[in-house]
Amino acid sequence: ANVKTLVGLFIGGLMPFVFSAIALRAIGRGAAKIIKEARRQIDGAGGLMSGLAEPDYNRCLKIATNESLKRMVILGFLALIAPVALGVWLGAETLAGFLIGSILVGFLLSTFMANAGGAWDNAKKIIELSGRKIRTSETLEAAVVGDTIGDPFKDAVGPALNILIKLMAIISLIIIPLLALK
């Protein structure tokens, strides 16, 4: 019945969705840069398509590494700052509500993403192993699109939400003594 706790609950429930949206957008941007680099290598005058040249894998790995590190800084900063800002600005009651909301929604969203991503991945595998009619149809195309969404769900964002929850809980435990002094 405490208004501050309720405010924290809503903000905490929103946090996993904000985190997931930023992470998924980062994955999309990184993938787009890798695709651009792959096209540059294919279209270049190096003989890649004729087999006369080898692709520059290191360039794509460098793009993936740099993009992930840049975006993870933003997400890490968000996970560190949110509990501290709420605790200092609105107090321990709000921080408690924030943790409850983020743990509840984060756990459910993480579980959903892992299961949905796995289902999309398995659907594509089943279609690929099925009869010839289905493999050459729009069904396979749709399954590939679903798997393109499912892989980041199950391999990146779902597990990252568990880390988000743990990180925010640890930060909150660290700052609670400071809030008690207020």
Side-chain angles (χ1 to χ4, degrees):
N2 187 332
V3 172
K4 286 187 172 188
T5 305
L6 191 59
V7 167
L9 188 68
F10 283 121
I11 295 171
L14 182 66
M15 187 70 167
F17 286 102
V18 171
F19 184 89
S20 298
I22 294 170
L24 286 170
R25 180 173 284 188
I27 291 166
R29 285 181 179 165
K33 287 185 179 183
I34 291 172
I35 289 169
K36 186 177 178 181
E37 174 61 22
R39 286 182 179 158
R40 186 195 65 76
Q41 289 184 27
I42 289 170
D43 294 340
L48 187 63
M49 292 304 288
S50 61
L52 299 174
E54 287 290 317
D56 186 4
Y57 297 115
N58 288 332
R59 179 77 181 123
C60 291
L61 287 172
K62 186 176 181 179
I63 291 169
T65 302
N66 289 340
E67 283 299 307
S68 64
L69 289 174
K70 270 193 265 183
R71 305 301 177 201
M72 282 299 127
V73 168
I74 295 166
L75 293 171
F77 186 71
L78 182 65
L80 291 172
I81 290 299
V84 173
L86 276 172
V88 170
W89 185 40
L90 295 173
E93 298 91 358
T94 306
L95 183 58
F98 175 79
L99 283 176
I100 293 167
S102 64
I103 290 169
L104 179 65
V105 173
F107 170 73
L108 294 173
L109 188 60
S110 172
T111 304
F112 162 76
M113 287 186 162
N115 287 324
W120 279 325
D121 187 36
N122 290 337
K124 185 188 79 163
K125 289 176 185 170
I126 288 169
I127 291 168
E128 287 173 340
L129 294 173
S130 68
R132 195 161 177 74
K133 272 186 181 179
I134 296 176
R135 279 188 296 191
T136 58
S137 70
E138 293 176 0
T139 307
L140 180 59
E141 290 178 30
V144 169
V145 171
D147 187 42
T148 303
I149 298 165
D151 281 341
F153 266 38
K154 71 178 174 61
D155 296 333
V157 181
L161 282 170
N162 293 323
I163 296 167
L164 170 75
I165 292 167
K166 290 175 189 174
L167 184 59
M168 290 191 310
I170 290 169
I171 294 299
S172 299
L173 287 172
I174 290 170
I175 67 166
I176 283 293
L178 300 174
L179 299 178
L181 297 175
K182 281 177 95 175

